[in-house]
Amino acid sequence: MEKVKIGILGLGAISGIYLKNLTELFREVEVAGVFDIVTEKADKVREELGIAGKYSSMEAFLADPEIEIVLNLTRPFEHYETTKAALLAGKHVYSEKPLAAVYEEGRELVALAREKKLMLGGAPDTFLGAGIQTCRKLIDDGFIGRPVGACARMICHGHESWHPAPEFYYQHGGGPMMDMGPYYLTALVNLLGRVEGLTGVVSRSFETRVVTSMPQYGQIIDVEVPTHVNGILRFANGAVGTITTTFDVYYDNQAALEIYGTKGTLRVPDPNGFGGPVMLLRPEDGVFREIPLVFGYKDNSRGLGLADMAKALRAGRSMRAGSEQTLHVLEIMTAFEKSSREGRFINLETEYERRAPMNQECIPGVLDS
């Protein structure tokens, strides 16, 4: 397969693992260009990778005819404008989560991509990893019977104690639901299918935060978004789920995701990762037992969804981490606050169907067609 050429927009902290995987793991893509408003960052990456092109502006970057897919790694509140610009420039786009900070903006981006016959998708792609794909097979093969419920929890006390630049986590487009919710909700819809409606209650426990990490130690951050979100989800298959995401709570275990069925319970591994452990409880056992992972990509494989997009582009098939999924997850996340504000149950309008599972027999770095 002819390699698909990728242009990376934004070179923040997350770009390191993408660059590593796109250049060392995934064999069907090639990094053809990079751009960041901090020129030194782009120059460093260009030198390391031997990329000749240097761009004076984002517009010049987007005009490069060599670039087929733009990997959008800008800050969350910038996703709408930067993705829109890339689509208008005729580029396919794979964006870090979330698709946009506002549901209406996400819906506009999806409509624009369809109008221009361009592919649009995005993170998270952890659901394509060995852990969640193994869980999906267990559910689809009937190991827990008919799914009846789910419980997801992401509990921590925020990022200002460790992140070098934590402000955006508390600005428009941030907060625990918009930041971490995509991992949990993407896992849930891949395991259980479409969410048809929900109820949410949200709060903001602290008006300000004090940064205790370097280099911004002592800086005061104003909190603009809800930092404690509780939701109840009604899935189209009849299952009912709950989700809590918070930056307000001290706790010893950040991640928890469980799926309940008529014949057993499944403990899903941390959806922010690609591997295990996968734990299954069946009534005949009475205890949780670890299940071997039966798919590839158990290590940090960020960029897997982008590699799948590239393969889909060449093969003429649907991508697994497409805009139907990212828009559905965005509507869920933003509907929690809407439900809390309006005090009512919200029926969702987005459609969603699970894409094909990963291929169990694959060459590392080469996606199935």
Side-chain angles (χ1 to χ4, degrees), residues 8 129 132 212 256 276 296 308-309 315 333 358:
I8 302 179
I132 293 174
T212 56
D308 178 73
M309 181 183 196
M333 294 191 297
M358 293 289 281

Side-chain angles (χ1 to χ4, degrees), residues 114-269:
R114 288 174 180 164
E115 175 190 331
K116 291 190 165 293
K117 296 181 172 56
L118 294 167
M119 300 183 77
L120 173 63
D125 55 4
T126 48
F127 75 96
L128 297 173
I132 293 174
Q133 287 292 306
T134 297
C135 290
R136 173 169 171 172
K137 182 168 180 57
L138 288 169
I139 293 172
D140 291 352
D141 289 353
F143 278 82
I144 66 167
R146 176 175 55 84
V148 297
C151 178
R153 300 190 308 277
M154 192 297 296
I155 303 175
C156 73
H157 207 268
H159 298 352
E160 65 272 20
S161 65
W162 61 270
H163 197 281
E167 302 99 317
F168 72 89
Y169 288 106
Y170 299 99
Q171 296 171 346
H172 177 60
M177 180 55 70
M178 297 295 281
D179 176 48
M180 296 298 292
Y183 297 107
Y184 295 78
L185 292 168
T186 299
L188 283 169
V189 299
N190 271 275
L191 296 175
L192 299 177
R194 179 178 182 263
V195 175
E196 63 180 16
L198 58 82
T199 299
V201 179
V202 308
S203 65
R204 184 175 57 187
S205 302
F206 305 95
E207 295 298 319
T208 61
R209 298 282 183 137
V210 179
V211 180
T212 56
S213 60
M214 298 301 290
Q216 299 181 4
Y217 182 87
Q219 180 177 324
I220 305 297
I221 300 174
D222 292 325
V223 179
E224 302 173 1
V225 294
T227 50
H228 193 96
V229 181
N230 287 308
I232 301 175
L233 305 161
R234 185 176 70 199
F235 291 86
N237 68 356
V240 176
T242 63
I243 183 169
T244 297
T245 64
T246 181
F247 284 166
D248 297 343
V249 175
Y250 293 104
Y251 205 65
D252 65 345
N253 183 21
Q254 176 177 304
L257 179 55
E258 296 180 337
I259 309 294
Y260 311 121
T262 56
K263 296 181 180 179
T265 293
L266 189 61
R267 283 186 178 156
V268 181

